[in-house]
Amino acid sequence: MLKRFTVFCLLVIFVFVLASCGQSEESNVNEELSEKASEFVSQLVDGDYSSAFASFDDDMKAALPESDLQAAWEQVLTQVGDYKGEVGKRTDQAEGYDRVFVNSEFEEATIDIIVVFNSEKEISGLFFQ
């Protein structure tokens, strides 16, 4: 009976160790991308559009030139007022891309700034919801 209990306890510990190892790697990726997304939003807030634009992959650079990025951000400010700060973040994956939802408070509303990353950790999508 004692042997069964010992084996059971060892199996439970082994399962928890394996589970935590898998979460740790994913957590590190999510933390890195979360920081990159926050940095990107800070660049927009500071008006540093060239640095924000430099984070784009080639497809995004073609689809949203730097001047259009600036115009898009200014349109967001026109609609929801001045940026107040980051409220929180969450991450998920969709169709092979990592998405970071930067929940952001503005004068008139709180919205998600969704920053989409490709496998090279370049920005390949940007949405304001």
Side-chain angles (χ1 to χ4, degrees), residues 22-34:
Q23 290 175 351
S24 176
E25 183 177 321
E26 182 178 326
S27 178
N28 288 340
V29 170
N30 288 343
E31 286 178 29
E32 180 183 358
L33 295 180
S34 290

Side-chain angles (χ1 to χ4, degrees), residues 56-63 118 122-123:
F56 287 175
D57 68 9
D58 290 339
D59 290 336
M60 273 296 286
K61 287 178 180 174
N118 63 19
E122 298 171 312
I123 295 174

Side-chain angles (χ1 to χ4, degrees), residues 5-21:
F5 181 72
T6 304
V7 170
F8 175 75
C9 288
L10 288 174
L11 284 174
V12 169
I13 291 170
F14 181 71
V15 168
F16 281 116
V17 168
L18 283 178
S20 67
C21 287

Side-chain angles (χ1 to χ4, degrees), residues 16-88:
F16 281 116
V17 168
L18 283 178
S20 67
C21 287
Q23 290 175 351
S24 176
E25 183 177 321
E26 182 178 326
S27 178
N28 288 340
V29 170
N30 288 343
E31 286 178 29
E32 180 183 358
L33 295 180
S34 290
E35 288 303 314
K36 284 181 173 261
S38 290
E39 181 180 344
F40 175 77
V41 171
S42 292
Q43 291 165 343
L44 293 178
V45 170
D46 294 341
D48 187 2
Y49 303 108
S50 61
S51 293
F53 181 77
S55 303
F56 287 175
D57 68 9
D58 290 339
D59 290 336
M60 273 296 286
K61 287 178 180 174
L64 189 65
E66 186 178 331
S67 60
D68 290 352
L69 173 62
Q70 179 177 351
W73 179 249
E74 290 172 353
Q75 181 65 32
V76 168
L77 296 177
T78 298
Q79 292 177 355
V80 293
D82 288 339
Y83 179 83
K84 296 288 188 180
E86 185 178 296
V87 178

Side-chain angles (χ1 to χ4, degrees), residues 105-124:
E105 183 180 0
F106 292 81
E107 285 182 324
E108 304 294 326
T110 300
I111 66 169
D112 281 327
I113 301 171
I114 306 167
V115 185
V116 182
F117 292 92
N118 63 19
S119 59
E120 286 83 38
K121 300 177 184 168
E122 298 171 312
I123 295 174
S124 58

